Amino acid sequence: MAYSNFTFETVRKTFQLETDEAADISSGIAPMALSEYLTTTLARKVPLALAIGTEKASSELIVADILVELREKFEHRISFFSGIDFSVDAESGLTGVCDFLISLSPTQFHLEAPIVVLVEAKKDNPVLGFGQCVAEMLAAQRFNAERGNDFPWIYGAATTGTVWQFLKLEAQKLYIDRAVYSIGQCDKILGILSSMVEQKV
């Protein structure tokens, strides 16, 4: 089994996760001002991504630019990766390619622990990305622990590019944010991602 084969139901059962499906993860987080570049870029690219209507277009035209902005906000002290193989535990099915992941390491040429945020893009509905995203979060939890970076939380985001929903994994408990954010709230989305990097959520 690979990440892409997990549904939300199968990942919960396979890894015996306790879930809170109406958690308040993000309501108290302040928005983060967007750069003029990102504001202009989204104005140009979001309509195009919607017209094309594929996961690839949303990833390349929307999600990637938001994560580049996040990296610049942290003055390149973090790294982000797109479409890389992240096979951690084949026996448990924690193998495959991640859409995006963010590491607290500034090293961009290869992936280092600790990994803190996984972002999974889906065409139609963020909820359809929960199974895959949670499986990747579990893999990140193991990846970090194996390298002596046993962080208390791993964060995830499932997104269509224009709609975002956030998750938090603490040991065997998964929290799903009850709030859903649209791309029109990109300053809030960026603020949430920033707080996740800082482990303040």
Side-chain angles (χ1 to χ4, degrees), residues 33-52:
L34 308 186
S35 67
E36 184 178 342
Y37 172 81
L38 183 59
T39 301
T40 302
T41 297
L42 292 177
R44 293 174 62 200
K45 291 185 177 181
V46 168
L48 179 59
L50 290 172
I52 295 170

PDB file of all heavy atoms in Angstrom, residues 33-52:
ATOM      1  N   ALA A  33       0.337  39.199   6.648  1.00  0.00           N
ATOM      2  CA  ALA A  33       0.240  40.025   5.437  1.00  0.00           C
ATOM      3  C   ALA A  33       0.961  39.369   4.261  1.00  0.00           C
ATOM      4  O   ALA A  33       2.065  38.838   4.406  1.00  0.00           O
ATOM      5  CB  ALA A  33       0.834  41.400   5.704  1.00  0.00           C
ATOM      6  N   LEU A  34       0.322  39.427   3.105  1.00  0.00           N
ATOM      7  CA  LEU A  34       0.916  38.877   1.892  1.00  0.00           C
ATOM      8  C   LEU A  34       1.828  39.909   1.248  1.00  0.00           C
ATOM      9  O   LEU A  34       1.568  41.113   1.314  1.00  0.00           O
ATOM     10  CB  LEU A  34      -0.166  38.493   0.875  1.00  0.00           C
ATOM     11  CG  LEU A  34      -1.313  37.598   1.335  1.00  0.00           C
ATOM     12  CD1 LEU A  34      -2.180  37.228   0.133  1.00  0.00           C
ATOM     13  CD2 LEU A  34      -0.815  36.356   2.032  1.00  0.00           C
ATOM     14  N   SER A  35       2.868  39.436   0.616  1.00  0.00           N
ATOM     15  CA  SER A  35       3.701  40.345  -0.160  1.00  0.00           C
ATOM     16  C   SER A  35       2.917  40.827  -1.375  1.00  0.00           C
ATOM     17  O   SER A  35       1.947  40.194  -1.813  1.00  0.00           O
ATOM     18  CB  SER A  35       4.969  39.634  -0.634  1.00  0.00           C
ATOM     19  OG  SER A  35       4.642  38.620  -1.581  1.00  0.00           O
ATOM     20  N   GLU A  36       3.335  41.933  -1.903  1.00  0.00           N
ATOM     21  CA  GLU A  36       2.703  42.444  -3.125  1.00  0.00           C
ATOM     22  C   GLU A  36       2.844  41.433  -4.258  1.00  0.00           C
ATOM     23  O   GLU A  36       1.931  41.228  -5.058  1.00  0.00           O
ATOM     24  CB  GLU A  36       3.345  43.779  -3.524  1.00  0.00           C
ATOM     25  CG  GLU A  36       2.683  44.437  -4.721  1.00  0.00           C
ATOM     26  CD  GLU A  36       3.305  45.786  -5.066  1.00  0.00           C
ATOM     27  OE1 GLU A  36       3.999  46.355  -4.203  1.00  0.00           O
ATOM     28  OE2 GLU A  36       3.085  46.252  -6.202  1.00  0.00           O
ATOM     29  N   TYR A  37       3.996  40.748  -4.270  1.00  0.00           N
ATOM     30  CA  TYR A  37       4.232  39.755  -5.326  1.00  0.00           C
ATOM     31  C   TYR A  37       3.202  38.629  -5.255  1.00  0.00           C
ATOM     32  O   TYR A  37       2.609  38.246  -6.270  1.00  0.00           O
ATOM     33  CB  TYR A  37       5.638  39.171  -5.205  1.00  0.00           C
ATOM     34  CG  TYR A  37       5.875  38.013  -6.139  1.00  0.00           C
ATOM     35  CD1 TYR A  37       6.201  38.225  -7.478  1.00  0.00           C
ATOM     36  CD2 TYR A  37       5.729  36.689  -5.699  1.00  0.00           C
ATOM     37  CE1 TYR A  37       6.389  37.169  -8.349  1.00  0.00           C
ATOM     38  CE2 TYR A  37       5.908  35.628  -6.560  1.00  0.00           C
ATOM     39  CZ  TYR A  37       6.238  35.866  -7.883  1.00  0.00           C
ATOM     40  OH  TYR A  37       6.406  34.814  -8.742  1.00  0.00           O
ATOM     41  N   LEU A  38       2.973  38.069  -4.040  1.00  0.00           N
ATOM     42  CA  LEU A  38       2.027  36.964  -3.926  1.00  0.00           C
ATOM     43  C   LEU A  38       0.607  37.424  -4.245  1.00  0.00           C
ATOM     44  O   LEU A  38      -0.145  36.705  -4.907  1.00  0.00           O
ATOM     45  CB  LEU A  38       2.078  36.343  -2.524  1.00  0.00           C
ATOM     46  CG  LEU A  38       1.173  35.123  -2.324  1.00  0.00           C
ATOM     47  CD1 LEU A  38       1.523  34.000  -3.294  1.00  0.00           C
ATOM     48  CD2 LEU A  38       1.230  34.623  -0.881  1.00  0.00           C
ATOM     49  N   THR A  39       0.248  38.609  -3.794  1.00  0.00           N
ATOM     50  CA  THR A  39      -1.092  39.133  -4.084  1.00  0.00           C
ATOM     51  C   THR A  39      -1.315  39.219  -5.590  1.00  0.00           C
ATOM     52  O   THR A  39      -2.350  38.767  -6.116  1.00  0.00           O
ATOM     53  CB  THR A  39      -1.269  40.528  -3.445  1.00  0.00           C
ATOM     54  OG1 THR A  39      -1.067  40.416  -2.033  1.00  0.00           O
ATOM     55  CG2 THR A  39      -2.640  41.091  -3.724  1.00  0.00           C
ATOM     56  N   THR A  40      -0.341  39.767  -6.291  1.00  0.00           N
ATOM     57  CA  THR A  40      -0.448  39.897  -7.752  1.00  0.00           C
ATOM     58  C   THR A  40      -0.431  38.534  -8.424  1.00  0.00           C
ATOM     59  O   THR A  40      -1.210  38.267  -9.362  1.00  0.00           O
ATOM     60  CB  THR A  40       0.715  40.751  -8.290  1.00  0.00           C
ATOM     61  OG1 THR A  40       0.686  42.023  -7.656  1.00  0.00           O
ATOM     62  CG2 THR A  40       0.617  40.920  -9.794  1.00  0.00           C
ATOM     63  N   THR A  41       0.430  37.661  -7.944  1.00  0.00           N
ATOM     64  CA  THR A  41       0.559  36.320  -8.529  1.00  0.00           C
ATOM     65  C   THR A  41      -0.735  35.533  -8.402  1.00  0.00           C
ATOM     66  O   THR A  41      -1.201  34.901  -9.369  1.00  0.00           O
ATOM     67  CB  THR A  41       1.713  35.554  -7.856  1.00  0.00           C
ATOM     68  OG1 THR A  41       2.931  36.249  -8.121  1.00  0.00           O
ATOM     69  CG2 THR A  41       1.814  34.139  -8.376  1.00  0.00           C
ATOM     70  N   LEU A  42      -1.345  35.558  -7.228  1.00  0.00           N
ATOM     71  CA  LEU A  42      -2.594  34.819  -7.033  1.00  0.00           C
ATOM     72  C   LEU A  42      -3.713  35.391  -7.889  1.00  0.00           C
ATOM     73  O   LEU A  42      -4.539  34.645  -8.423  1.00  0.00           O
ATOM     74  CB  LEU A  42      -2.983  34.816  -5.554  1.00  0.00           C
ATOM     75  CG  LEU A  42      -2.070  34.004  -4.626  1.00  0.00           C
ATOM     76  CD1 LEU A  42      -2.532  34.141  -3.176  1.00  0.00           C
ATOM     77  CD2 LEU A  42      -2.035  32.534  -5.024  1.00  0.00           C
ATOM     78  N   ALA A  43      -3.747  36.715  -8.012  1.00  0.00           N
ATOM     79  CA  ALA A  43      -4.774  37.337  -8.861  1.00  0.00           C
ATOM     80  C   ALA A  43      -4.670  36.857 -10.304  1.00  0.00           C
ATOM     81  O   ALA A  43      -5.674  36.694 -11.000  1.00  0.00           O
ATOM     82  CB  ALA A  43      -4.655  38.863  -8.788  1.00  0.00           C
ATOM     83  N   ARG A  44      -3.446  36.603 -10.748  1.00  0.00           N
ATOM     84  CA  ARG A  44      -3.226  36.130 -12.116  1.00  0.00           C
ATOM     85  C   ARG A  44      -3.452  34.628 -12.251  1.00  0.00           C
ATOM     86  O   ARG A  44      -3.995  34.157 -13.255  1.00  0.00           O
ATOM     87  CB  ARG A  44      -1.793  36.451 -12.559  1.00  0.00           C
ATOM     88  CG  ARG A  44      -1.490  37.935 -12.702  1.00  0.00           C
ATOM     89  CD  ARG A  44      -0.024  38.157 -13.006  1.00  0.00           C
ATOM     90  NE  ARG A  44       0.356  37.528 -14.269  1.00  0.00           N
ATOM     91  CZ  ARG A  44       1.608  37.229 -14.605  1.00  0.00           C
ATOM     92  NH1 ARG A  44       2.588  37.481 -13.759  1.00  0.00           N
ATOM     93  NH2 ARG A  44       1.868  36.676 -15.761  1.00  0.00           N
ATOM     94  N   LYS A  45      -3.015  33.866 -11.247  1.00  0.00           N
ATOM     95  CA  LYS A  45      -2.960  32.415 -11.415  1.00  0.00           C
ATOM     96  C   LYS A  45      -4.196  31.656 -10.944  1.00  0.00           C
ATOM     97  O   LYS A  45      -4.496  30.583 -11.480  1.00  0.00           O
ATOM     98  CB  LYS A  45      -1.718  31.870 -10.694  1.00  0.00           C
ATOM     99  CG  LYS A  45      -0.409  32.266 -11.354  1.00  0.00           C
ATOM    100  CD  LYS A  45       0.766  31.592 -10.670  1.00  0.00           C
ATOM    101  CE  LYS A  45       2.078  31.896 -11.344  1.00  0.00           C
ATOM    102  NZ  LYS A  45       3.218  31.212 -10.683  1.00  0.00           N
ATOM    103  N   VAL A  46      -4.900  32.163  -9.940  1.00  0.00           N
ATOM    104  CA  VAL A  46      -6.050  31.420  -9.423  1.00  0.00           C
ATOM    105  C   VAL A  46      -7.110  31.200 -10.504  1.00  0.00           C
ATOM    106  O   VAL A  46      -7.588  30.067 -10.676  1.00  0.00           O
ATOM    107  CB  VAL A  46      -6.645  32.102  -8.170  1.00  0.00           C
ATOM    108  CG1 VAL A  46      -8.006  31.494  -7.815  1.00  0.00           C
ATOM    109  CG2 VAL A  46      -5.688  31.970  -6.996  1.00  0.00           C
ATOM    110  N   PRO A  47      -7.506  32.235 -11.275  1.00  0.00           N
ATOM    111  CA  PRO A  47      -8.492  31.980 -12.337  1.00  0.00           C
ATOM    112  C   PRO A  47      -8.011  30.948 -13.356  1.00  0.00           C
ATOM    113  O   PRO A  47      -8.799  30.128 -13.844  1.00  0.00           O
ATOM    114  CB  PRO A  47      -8.672  33.357 -12.991  1.00  0.00           C
ATOM    115  CG  PRO A  47      -8.275  34.332 -11.936  1.00  0.00           C
ATOM    116  CD  PRO A  47      -7.149  33.668 -11.192  1.00  0.00           C
ATOM    117  N   LEU A  48      -6.724  30.974 -13.659  1.00  0.00           N
ATOM    118  CA  LEU A  48      -6.172  30.009 -14.611  1.00  0.00           C
ATOM    119  C   LEU A  48      -6.221  28.599 -14.038  1.00  0.00           C
ATOM    120  O   LEU A  48      -6.618  27.645 -14.733  1.00  0.00           O
ATOM    121  CB  LEU A  48      -4.736  30.392 -14.962  1.00  0.00           C
ATOM    122  CG  LEU A  48      -4.000  29.471 -15.943  1.00  0.00           C
ATOM    123  CD1 LEU A  48      -4.740  29.383 -17.270  1.00  0.00           C
ATOM    124  CD2 LEU A  48      -2.573  29.963 -16.151  1.00  0.00           C
ATOM    125  N   ALA A  49      -5.846  28.448 -12.770  1.00  0.00           N
ATOM    126  CA  ALA A  49      -5.881  27.133 -12.132  1.00  0.00           C
ATOM    127  C   ALA A  49      -7.309  26.585 -12.100  1.00  0.00           C
ATOM    128  O   ALA A  49      -7.537  25.396 -12.355  1.00  0.00           O
ATOM    129  CB  ALA A  49      -5.307  27.211 -10.725  1.00  0.00           C
ATOM    130  N   LEU A  50      -8.274  27.451 -11.803  1.00  0.00           N
ATOM    131  CA  LEU A  50      -9.671  27.025 -11.774  1.00  0.00           C
ATOM    132  C   LEU A  50     -10.151  26.616 -13.161  1.00  0.00           C
ATOM    133  O   LEU A  50     -10.900  25.641 -13.317  1.00  0.00           O
ATOM    134  CB  LEU A  50     -10.549  28.138 -11.212  1.00  0.00           C
ATOM    135  CG  LEU A  50     -10.378  28.432  -9.715  1.00  0.00           C
ATOM    136  CD1 LEU A  50     -11.159  29.676  -9.322  1.00  0.00           C
ATOM    137  CD2 LEU A  50     -10.819  27.223  -8.882  1.00  0.00           C
ATOM    138  N   ALA A  51      -9.718  27.337 -14.174  1.00  0.00           N
ATOM    139  CA  ALA A  51     -10.128  27.017 -15.542  1.00  0.00           C
ATOM    140  C   ALA A  51      -9.536  25.683 -15.996  1.00  0.00           C
ATOM    141  O   ALA A  51     -10.206  24.877 -16.645  1.00  0.00           O
ATOM    142  CB  ALA A  51      -9.696  28.134 -16.490  1.00  0.00           C
ATOM    143  N   ILE A  52      -8.282  25.422 -15.634  1.00  0.00           N
ATOM    144  CA  ILE A  52      -7.651  24.157 -16.013  1.00  0.00           C
ATOM    145  C   ILE A  52      -8.283  23.002 -15.233  1.00  0.00           C
ATOM    146  O   ILE A  52      -8.560  21.939 -15.783  1.00  0.00           O
ATOM    147  CB  ILE A  52      -6.129  24.213 -15.758  1.00  0.00           C
ATOM    148  CG1 ILE A  52      -5.493  25.267 -16.678  1.00  0.00           C
ATOM    149  CG2 ILE A  52      -5.486  22.846 -15.998  1.00  0.00           C
ATOM    150  CD1 ILE A  52      -4.040  25.565 -16.349  1.00  0.00           C
TER     151      ILE A  52
END
